[in-house]
Amino acid sequence: MTVAGLVLASCSSTGDTGKADAGGGEPLKVGFITKFPVDFYDIMVDAVKKYDEAQPDVEVIYGQGKSGTDDEGVINHIENMIAKDVKAIAITPTSPAVQTSLDKAVKAGIKVVLVDNDIPGWTGKSSVVATDNLAGGKLAGTWLAGNLPAGAKIGILQGRVGNPSLDDRVKGLKETLGSKATVVGEPATDCDQTKGLNAAQDLLTANPGLTAIYGACGPPIVGALQAVKAAGKKPGEITVIGFDASPDELKAIKAGDQTGSVAQFPAKMGSLGIETAVAAAHGEQVPPSVDTGTEMVTKENAAEFA
């Protein structure tokens, strides 16, 4: 049975939200918390809003951090959701640092569904709805292994070191890239565009013969493209592979400035994440993990992802 099929009809929304059903009851309140305002999470939120609008018996309360490392902001949103008596929280955790607050939510009877990122070893979650990030990293590594020249040198722009999902994207890459290229540097970027720009500039300066750059998330790769251009490199002279296939990346891929990216499906994460949270809140059995898929995007198929 699909997750969507697990979602049961509940009661009506409150009058101040404009939702009502024949029973005139209260809505099922659920929270949806995302890391920070970038295209990837905005797409996710838009998908949840569509779900929210179509469900007269569910009220979604939203929260969003300010950056990929804003643990404090995300924790504040969790505490706010607890105070508002939500019955479930779907959340893209910034790091394991938010676990204590999530434990508090679970203790209060709130079901927690992790979206996009897992917290390995944490037993309080009802489900994880996410990309198989290790598989996505392997997809990128396999592509690079088959397309880089002998003796290639690659710089890896990590996301936030210690974030399991982002770390898996690098681990997967290395597993399938093997000895096809030498890794000359792995700076962390916290998934920040400016940090990606600076890190890529350092890699290019220290390694004049750099062949490729791989990024564990989208914003740093956008920064890396700026660094490549500033270094006077021609489009395609350096192979640039990202992870997210964000709108900015897709634009760069179509223009020939970026070589490719591993596509995730944030809209699918959002809709399946909130559906799973609602199902869990109703006491339904939900799958422990839901893989939302990955696909390699290059200029040949980029138009399919626009």
Side-chain angles (χ1 to χ4, degrees):
M1 180 180 290
T2 64
V3 173
L6 295 172
V7 181
L8 302 178
S10 81
C11 37
S12 161
S13 182
T14 53
D16 59 355
T17 62
K19 294 183 178 181
D21 65 15
E26 293 293 323
L28 178 76
K29 288 196 288 187
V30 295
F32 190 72
I33 304 172
T34 47
K35 289 183 184 179
F36 62 120
V38 292
D39 286 328
F40 184 81
Y41 294 113
D42 289 344
I43 291 169
M44 201 180 290
V45 170
D46 286 344
V48 174
K49 287 181 177 178
K50 288 180 181 178
Y51 170 87
D52 190 14
E53 290 169 0
Q55 304 296 322
D57 50 1
V58 175
E59 177 187 353
V60 181
I61 300 171
Y62 300 88
Q64 190 171 71
K66 296 180 179 178
S67 72
T69 58
D70 186 15
D71 292 331
E72 183 178 355
V74 168
I75 287 170
N76 287 338
H77 285 303
I78 295 169
E79 298 288 342
N80 182 49
M81 301 294 180
I82 296 171
K84 290 188 176 181
D85 196 30
V86 300
K87 302 306 178 186
I89 296 173
I91 178 173
T92 64
T94 42
S95 81
V98 305
Q99 180 176 318
T100 300
S101 290
L102 291 177
D103 280 329
K104 182 177 177 181
V106 173
K107 188 175 181 180
I110 298 169
K111 301 296 184 181
V112 176
V113 171
L114 304 181
V115 180
D116 186 35
N117 297 105
D118 189 12
I119 301 178
W122 183 53
T123 59
K125 59 202 171 195
S126 294
S127 182
V128 180
V129 179
T131 299
D132 183 335
N133 289 285
L134 186 65
K138 289 180 177 180
L139 186 63
T142 298
W143 189 93
L144 284 164
N147 287 275
L148 290 179
K153 296 180 179 179
I154 184 171
I156 296 175
L157 301 182
Q158 298 197 58
R160 184 179 186 185
V161 177
N163 180 296
S165 297
L166 299 173
D167 289 349
D168 274 351
R169 297 175 188 180
V170 175
K171 179 182 178 182
L173 171 92
K174 290 180 177 179
E175 286 183 5
T176 52
L177 180 63
S179 60
K180 296 294 184 177
T182 300
V183 177
V184 296
E186 302 179 60
T189 65
D190 293 328
C191 288
D192 179 83
Q193 182 172 330
T194 300
K195 290 182 180 180
L197 166 63
N198 294 335
Q201 286 177 330
D202 291 343
L203 285 169
L204 288 163
T205 300
N207 304 278
L210 192 67
T211 313
I213 296 174
Y214 169 72
C217 38
I221 279 295
V222 176
L225 292 173
Q226 295 172 321
V228 169
K229 184 177 181 179
K233 302 293 184 180
K234 297 178 181 178
E237 187 174 348
I238 293 181
T239 298
V240 179
I241 299 294
F243 203 115
D244 281 347
S246 66
D248 284 341
E249 285 187 273
L250 290 174
K251 183 179 179 180
I253 291 170
K254 290 177 184 178
D257 296 324
Q258 181 171 333
T259 315
S261 185
V262 178
Q264 299 189 85
F265 301 95
K268 193 174 180 181
M269 281 188 211
S271 58
L272 289 179
I274 202 68
E275 287 172 9
T276 304
V278 169
H282 280 303
E284 295 296 303
Q285 184 176 357
V286 297
S289 64
V290 179
D291 178 12
T292 52
T294 53
E295 188 171 343
M296 192 70 195
V297 182
T298 61
K299 193 170 185 178
E300 285 69 31
N301 65 347
E304 299 173 19
F305 293 84

